[in-house]
């Protein structure tokens, strides 16, 4: 929503495999945005998308932008 930004409350990253030099693919999604807190998650894949390298979940404070 315009006029708001987010600040990290918590971030958990689970490393699942060693990444090799090269390209990676990432997929991320916002699960829910409330009045004060938002929740999101992401997954990092190797370059061809066949292996999960890491995943993360986060909680974010939704705060008004101060100009």
């Amino acid at each position: 929503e315009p006029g708001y930004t987010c600040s990290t409350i918590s971030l958990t990253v689970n490393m699942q495999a060693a990444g090799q030099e090269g390209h990676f693919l990432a997929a991320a999604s916002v699960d829910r945005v409330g009045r004060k807190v938002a929740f999101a998650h992401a997954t990092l894949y190797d370059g061809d998308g066949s292996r999960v390298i890491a995943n993360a979940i986060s909680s974010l404070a939704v705060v008004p932008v101060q100009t």
Side-chain angles (χ1 to χ4, degrees), residues 40-56:
H41 69 275
T43 304
L44 181 69
Y45 300 92
D46 63 0
D48 63 7
S50 64
R51 186 169 58 124
V52 174
I53 304 299
N55 62 26

Side-chain angles (χ1 to χ4, degrees), residues 4 8 12 22 26 37 39 43 50-51 54 58 62-63:
Y4 287 84
T8 304
T12 301
V37 180
F39 302 92
T43 304
S50 64
R51 186 169 58 124
S58 64
V62 177
V63 293

Side-chain angles (χ1 to χ4, degrees), residues 2-62:
Y4 287 84
T5 190
C6 291
S7 178
T8 304
I9 296 171
S10 70
L11 174 63
T12 301
V13 178
N14 298 304
M15 305 301 287
Q16 298 182 12
Q20 304 300 319
E21 184 176 341
H23 294 281
F24 295 90
L25 299 172
S29 180
V30 175
D31 299 316
R32 180 178 183 279
V33 178
R35 289 183 305 152
K36 297 195 181 237
V37 180
F39 302 92
H41 69 275
T43 304
L44 181 69
Y45 300 92
D46 63 0
D48 63 7
S50 64
R51 186 169 58 124
V52 174
I53 304 299
N55 62 26
I57 57 170
S58 64
S59 301
L60 307 131
V62 177

